[in-house]
Amino acid sequence: MPPGPFPPADLSPGSVIDADRAAIAVGEAVGDEAGVETLRCNVVFTPSGRAGTVSAGTTVLDAARDLGVDLDSVCGGRGICGRCQIVPSMGSFPKWAITARADALSSPGATETAYGGRRPLGADARLGCQARVCADLVVDVPPESQLHGPVVRKSIDVGDIALDPLSTLHAVTVPPPTLDERRGLAQIVIDCVAAEWGVRLAGILPGALAELHASVAAGTPDDAGNRLVTVAVRWSGPEPSERNGMVAAVWPGVVTAALGVAIDIGSTTVAGHLTDLHSGEVLASAGRMNPQIRLGEDLMSRVSYVMMNPGGAPELTALVRDALAALIAELCADAGLEPASVLEVVLVGNPIMIHIALGIDPTPLGQAPFTLATDAAVELDGSELDLPCSAARVYVGPAIAGHVGADAAAAVLAGGPHRDEAITLLVDVGTNAEIVLGSSNGLWAASSPTGPAFEGAQISCGQRATPGAIERVRIDPTTWTPRVRVIGCDLWSDEPGFAEAIERQVAAGSRSAAAGVTGICGSGIIEVIAEMYLAGVLCADGVIVAPPSGGERATRVISEGRTSSFVLYEPPEGTGGPTITITQNDVRAIQLAKAALRAGIDLLCERAGIAAPDRVQLAGAFGAHIDPVRAMVLGLIGDCDPDAVCSVGNAAGTGAVRALLSGSQRAEMERVVRDIRKIETATEPRFQELFVAAMALPHATAPSPRLSTVIELPERTDPGASGGARSDRSPRRSRQRRRR
């Protein structure tokens, strides 16, 4: 039987109500089989609009269950958990022919008056399990009181999904043992859940069984020796009506927090979100560096480490599992909760990261045909991954193919290209870019080996996105004078007070008195290469132009033998800090990375038979800070309407949270993944041709008519001409050019 938020009760027309429980104001008198007259009251629940009649004296919680209204409860109507809060609506409601008065509900009793649970009573709110219907009534059920209601969002936007948790809590009273009792304690608890909640369970999991006696013995006692405990139930099965439930944990007293953690295991960062499975609220978010970085910065280097070092695989596995355990502990500490309350964990990530986390040899993914151990979703207990939540079930999302993993599947779930007829390009840029293209008519996917250049690695002054890193760049096309903006300061470098602000703000952020502009991060790298091309510092093939001797331009370019460097930032005299330059090798590294990404995109477009997508979604922290116009100038993505390019944030993490909060979302992700067509760029002959063409800025052959409507591009030169052929002219300045 599927999970339900309400305990059972007799709501038949003949149910007997004690006279001292309710003062009957209005209603319709009916007779039961014994001839006892019982009044019926009209009740309407908003926002669902469900309506019906119930016997006067019925609790609002029981009325909600009788009418099929989604009203949460963990304590089973004991007035402890506070999850069944409702707000009565007073006044005239012609739509339902109801006039609701203040006496339509019973006055607060001793239990409700003394309530002091973790969730305080809101303004005008009542406890649905204690408030009794006395007359015709309109009741509002707020979102936070709906078990399957819309998600309450914080720090991460998962969209409007209906909560469908696969772990639920049920408080029950367990009778004291007797010599005549033939049932084991596990069966007694299971029978209590059936009797008090109308929920039939299939059994108990081994982890819960081991602690069962101690948990019940520590339960809250009453005068009869009964013990109040909370039973955590884990559900499995494709659809709610077909799911089976097992006891996953038994905790003493009433526990109201059913927690879940969604984690995206990135090659650089491990990021997680702690949520309340009953409300969908994100309670805490945190991230930490993946400790495997010290053994290899990108995915292939970690596979190489396993190949070349005996015991390398267990070492990498231990590192990532330690990071997962520490992250869960940190998230729970931030929310003031215990890791033992975590019942669900969802993990997504690149296939290599997932293989390592599960203790599976990743080396087959290091060479063709890149065979996965499994592309299906995997479920296991938290203890199997050494997590500090032994009662938790860990759900590892399905993979699409050898290098398009569960993180891409989660990003698709969040971005939703399969739900729309518009053709969407979803790009998650990392050391291995994952690309999905398509619509409700079908999806294609590919991965491109972009390497770590976009994250600051392989760049002479590159760094991660931390205070002091240059994130925005503009270059004057006449003088080649640059201006920059850095993380930690809202001022541009040519604005008054920049020097003082950067020293003060960045020093505080880095705890270093000598802090200043320290390097350039991914979004800044995109912008500086694009701006260098727009200003004429770079020609289309990526060569830094030698300026005429003398003049302001000459001060910006430093000759280094056969190559040159562009001076992007010089610290003010006397302030210290490095001079930030962009070398010819830096430009080449970015060209190689962007060409790999662009070739993958172009290959998918060819397979889909389209020239360009209708819209582009840039995922990840990198995508959140990219200027779409500069990305198109670089040629990172094809020519499209810049207004149709948007950031979807941490799409993989968002999809993981959606899968955490809803079993239906997991089923949708698994269903979509099965139908995605994977294009393997590593073995596709056409990929190399597209890669070579994509090396140029913005592209060797593809025109940019849409981009040209918002920014003026330099005129193309003869491909055989010298890079210096453009040095004697300044590119024209467009009135539409965006300088902010």
Side-chain angles (χ1 to χ4, degrees):
M1 181 175 178
F6 314 118
D10 179 15
L11 288 176
S12 62
S15 58
V16 178
I17 303 171
D18 295 337
D20 60 352
R21 290 186 179 181
I24 307 302
V26 295
E28 178 185 355
V30 296
D32 64 10
E33 294 178 357
V36 177
E37 191 173 80
T38 303
L39 288 180
R40 303 285 288 175
C41 303
N42 299 307
V43 181
V44 177
F45 286 90
T46 60
S48 67
R50 290 185 177 271
T53 61
V54 299
S55 300
T58 302
T59 67
V60 175
L61 179 62
D62 286 345
R65 185 195 60 245
D66 186 42
L67 299 176
V69 175
D70 187 9
L71 181 58
D72 195 5
S73 175
V74 168
C75 68
R78 294 176 171 86
I80 300 173
C81 70
R83 289 191 173 275
C84 63
Q85 292 185 33
I86 52 89
V87 178
S89 301
M90 302 304 166
S92 178
F93 301 91
K95 177 179 179 180
W96 297 298
I98 288 178
T99 298
R101 301 194 300 265
D103 58 357
L105 284 178
S106 60
S107 300
T111 299
E112 195 170 5
T113 302
Y115 169 74
R118 179 171 173 266
R119 181 184 163 196
L121 274 174
D124 302 321
R126 299 288 303 275
L127 294 179
C129 65
Q130 301 298 311
R132 296 182 178 275
V133 179
C134 301
D136 292 352
L137 180 67
V138 176
V139 179
D140 182 62
V141 181
E144 55 269 23
S145 296
Q146 301 172 30
L147 177 60
H148 298 85
V151 172
V152 178
R153 297 179 291 276
K154 173 186 175 184
S155 75
I156 186 169
D157 188 351
V158 299
D160 294 324
I161 64 169
L163 293 173
D164 176 26
L166 291 176
S167 289
T168 55
L169 300 180
H170 308 266
V172 298
T173 301
V174 181
T178 66
L179 290 175
D180 296 331
E181 180 60 69
R182 301 179 62 114
R183 298 172 298 170
L185 185 56
Q187 189 60 48
I188 292 174
V189 170
I190 290 171
D191 290 345
C192 287
V193 174
E196 297 185 36
W197 289 85
V199 172
R200 301 194 178 279
L201 304 178
I204 186 170
L205 296 173
L209 189 61
E211 304 292 333
L212 183 60
H213 276 96
S215 297
V216 173
T220 305
D222 62 15
D223 295 339
N226 301 306
R227 299 285 177 168
L228 180 62
V229 300
T230 298
V231 179
V233 177
R234 177 185 300 174
W235 298 93
S236 61
E239 300 297 334
S241 60
E242 303 173 5
R243 289 176 186 161
N244 294 315
M246 299 284 287
V247 176
V250 177
W251 296 313
V254 175
V255 177
T256 61
L259 304 179
V261 179
I263 299 178
D264 177 14
I265 309 175
S267 57
T268 302
T269 306
V270 181
H273 306 278
L274 176 72
T275 72
D276 184 321
L277 297 177
H278 280 261
S279 68
E281 180 181 3
V282 177
L283 305 174
S285 297
R288 57 182 53 221
M289 298 299 293
N290 189 327
Q292 297 175 338
I293 284 180
R294 64 183 176 84
L295 303 179
E297 191 152 45
D298 57 27
L299 296 169
M300 286 300 102
S301 63
R302 292 177 204 177
V303 172
S304 297
Y305 183 83
V306 172
M307 291 177 173
M308 300 175 64
N309 295 275
E315 183 180 3
L316 286 171
T317 296
L319 285 172
V320 73
R321 289 185 179 180
D322 287 346
L324 294 174
L327 180 60
I328 291 174
E330 177 186 348
L331 289 166
C332 291
D334 289 347
L337 299 167
E338 293 297 324
S341 298
V342 174
L343 295 174
E344 296 283 340
V345 176
V346 170
L347 298 180
V348 300
N350 180 276
I352 290 176
M353 291 292 93
I354 293 298
H355 275 59
I356 292 174
L358 294 179
I360 302 171
D361 180 14
T363 55
L365 298 176
Q367 55 191 352
F370 314 109
T371 306
L372 293 160
T374 179
D375 60 355
V378 175
E379 293 189 10
L380 63 163
D381 291 331
S383 58
E384 296 181 65
L385 294 182
D386 306 318
L387 301 181
C389 40
S390 57
R393 167 178 49 191
V394 180
Y395 174 86
V396 182
I400 297 172
H403 287 291
V404 186
D407 50 352
V412 169
L413 183 65
H418 58 290
R419 305 186 195 107
D420 201 316
E421 292 184 359
I423 298 177
T424 300
L425 171 66
L426 173 63
V427 182
D428 193 347
V429 182
T431 56
N432 186 72
E434 293 167 322
I435 313 162
V436 178
L437 175 74
S439 66
S440 56
N441 295 319
L443 298 175
W444 288 261
S447 64
S448 287
T450 52
F454 288 138
E455 296 180 346
Q458 301 177 350
I459 305 299
S460 59
C461 293
Q463 68 169 82
R464 304 197 186 280
T466 56
I470 295 172
E471 61 173 343
R472 304 290 302 279
V473 177
R474 295 293 181 266
I475 299 175
D476 186 281
T478 301
T479 65
W480 290 3
T481 300
R483 58 193 185 106
V484 303
R485 200 169 75 185
V486 303
I487 298 175
C489 179
D490 293 331
L491 298 174
W492 286 88
S493 58
D494 61 344
E495 292 183 291
F498 172 81
E500 295 78 6
I502 196 66
E503 286 295 317
R504 181 174 61 254
Q505 295 182 23
V506 180
S510 64
R511 300 179 182 177
S512 171
V517 179
T518 54
I520 184 166
C521 65
S523 60
I525 291 168
I526 296 294
E527 293 203 4
V528 72
I529 302 299
E531 284 287 314
M532 288 171 69
Y533 173 65
L534 290 171
V537 181
L538 289 177
C539 59
D541 60 6
V543 174
I544 296 177
V545 172
S549 58
E552 294 180 83
R553 290 188 180 187
T555 64
R556 308 311 308 178
V557 175
I558 302 173
S559 177
E560 298 175 338
R562 294 187 176 182
T563 64
S564 301
S565 296
F566 178 75
V567 179
L568 177 61
Y569 176 81
E570 293 180 289
E573 187 175 349
T575 61
T579 296
I580 310 298
T581 61
I582 304 299
T583 69
Q584 186 65 67
N585 287 337
D586 295 337
V587 176
R588 286 288 181 255
I590 294 300
Q591 284 182 279
L592 291 169
K594 80 96 176 179
L597 176 59
R598 177 65 180 273
I601 293 172
D602 291 346
L603 185 60
L604 290 189
C605 287
E606 285 188 358
R607 289 297 180 90
I610 64 169
D614 297 318
R615 63 187 177 201
V616 178
Q617 297 176 336
L618 299 176
F622 179 74
H625 298 92
I626 292 177
D627 179 338
V629 172
R630 268 69 192 177
M632 292 171 66
V633 170
L634 181 64
L636 194 68
I637 54 179
D639 189 62
C640 61
D641 181 359
D643 291 335
V645 182
C646 68
S647 168
V648 290
N650 180 13
T654 299
V657 173
R658 291 175 72 103
L660 180 70
L661 298 175
S662 171
S664 299
Q665 289 288 295
R666 295 186 191 184
E668 178 181 338
M669 179 166 60
E670 294 174 16
R671 191 165 54 247
V672 170
V673 162
R674 286 195 295 268
D675 294 331
I676 295 178
R677 286 160 281 188
K678 172 63 167 61
I679 307 301
E680 183 52 66
T681 57
T683 58
E684 175 62 49
R686 178 71 174 139
F687 179 81
Q688 190 62 31
E689 299 174 33
L690 296 170
F691 176 86
V692 172
M695 282 289 291
L697 304 174
H699 194 276
T701 57
S704 304
R706 295 183 182 178
L707 177 60
S708 298
T709 64
V710 296
I711 198 166
E712 186 168 357
L713 297 173
E715 295 178 359
R716 289 182 177 272
T717 58
D718 184 345
S722 168
R726 299 179 61 253
S727 63
D728 60 349
R729 65 174 181 85
S730 298
R732 292 169 295 170
R733 304 178 68 177
S734 171
R735 294 180 181 178
Q736 294 178 311
R737 182 167 181 182
R738 302 176 185 179
R739 280 285 163 190
R740 292 189 174 183

